[in-house]
Amino acid sequence: MANSTTTLFSPSLLSSQSCPPGLILRPLSSHDYHKGHCHVLRQLTEIGNIEEVAWLDRYQALRNSVPLSYYVVVVEEVRSRRVVATATLFLEMKFIRNLGLCGHIEDVVVCDSQRGKGLGLLLIKELCHLAKLTGCYKIILDCSEKNVPFYEKCGFKKKEEQMVQYLAASKL
C-alpha cells in the first residue's frame, strides 16, 4: 500500500471498510498514472490526452491545496496492480451555514470488468465518511437519470434541478 508521502491525503483518514478479496481501497497515489487512473476515468467521460507530467502537476496542485480540499479515492486490484475504480470528494468553502463546508462528489467510476461487486457503494460510503470527518454540512452530486436509483440506495435524495453551461477551455 502507498504511504502518506506518496498519497493525496493520509490513509489514516479512511474508514475501516473492507473491499472484496483481492482489492484495496486507498487514497490516490502519485504512482497511479501508471496504474491506469486515466484509463478508468475514460470509462466515465472524455478526459483528453493527458501526459504524465501534466497528470503529476495536477496531482501536486490537489495535494498542495490549503486547506486540503480534494480527496480522491481509488480501488486497486492487488494482483494486476491496476486502478479499477475511483471517485472524488472536493470541499467548497461557503460563507453560509456559519462558514460551512459543502462536499461535492464527482467522477465516480468503476471499470466495466469490476461492476457488480459493490465497489460503487464502497466508494460513495467512503466519500461520505470523509465528508463527515472534514465537517461538511451536506454532500451533493450530479448524476444521470439512470443512476438515480443507485444514489438513492446510497442515501441521497433528488432535490431541485441541475443546470449546466459548457465553456470553451481557456487558460489564464
Side-chain angles (χ1 to χ4, degrees):
M1 179 184 267
N3 62 41
S4 61
T5 61
T6 62
T7 58
L8 190 59
F9 60 93
S10 174
S12 67
L13 297 177
L14 296 174
S15 70
S16 58
Q17 292 186 82
S18 60
C19 271
L23 301 170
I24 56 169
L25 175 74
R26 61 172 176 75
L28 183 70
S29 164
S30 59
H31 305 292
D32 286 335
Y33 179 86
H34 291 290
K35 291 186 175 188
H37 184 246
C38 291
H39 173 74
V40 174
L41 288 172
R42 277 189 187 93
Q43 293 187 35
L44 177 66
T45 191
E46 168 65 35
I47 71 163
N49 184 20
I50 301 172
E51 299 293 329
E52 181 179 10
V53 171
W55 187 93
L56 285 169
D57 284 348
R58 178 55 49 95
Y59 171 86
Q60 284 302 329
L62 297 178
R63 192 167 193 266
N64 294 335
S65 66
V66 178
L68 183 62
S69 301
Y70 294 90
Y71 297 85
V72 182
V73 293
V74 299
V75 175
E76 180 180 337
E77 184 180 50
V78 176
R79 184 180 43 79
S80 68
R81 300 188 68 201
R82 301 292 294 173
V83 171
V84 297
T86 186
T88 299
L89 169 73
F90 77 88
L91 308 181
E92 176 188 7
M93 292 183 277
K94 308 285 272 184
F95 283 101
I96 63 171
R97 302 281 178 137
N98 200 29
L99 303 176
L101 292 173
C102 173
H104 294 261
I105 291 180
E106 290 283 338
D107 304 336
V108 179
V109 61
V110 176
C111 276
D112 293 338
S113 63
Q114 299 292 324
R115 293 191 181 147
K117 296 181 178 180
L119 298 181
L121 182 59
L122 178 77
L123 290 170
I124 296 301
K125 283 183 178 179
E126 193 60 48
L127 295 182
C128 289
H129 163 79
L130 290 167
K132 285 179 189 174
L133 193 66
T134 57
C136 291
Y137 72 90
K138 74 175 179 180
I139 309 164
I140 59 177
L141 59 83
D142 296 322
C143 70
S144 64
E145 191 66 36
K146 69 178 179 143
N147 289 331
V148 168
F150 167 75
Y151 288 109
E152 286 177 335
K153 185 171 124 180
C154 295
F156 287 81
K157 298 175 187 142
K158 274 184 96 170
K159 185 174 189 238
E160 300 171 356
E161 297 293 328
Q162 173 195 32
M163 303 293 289
V164 65
Q165 183 181 91
Y166 287 98
L167 306 171
S170 65
K171 301 230 177 187
L172 298 178

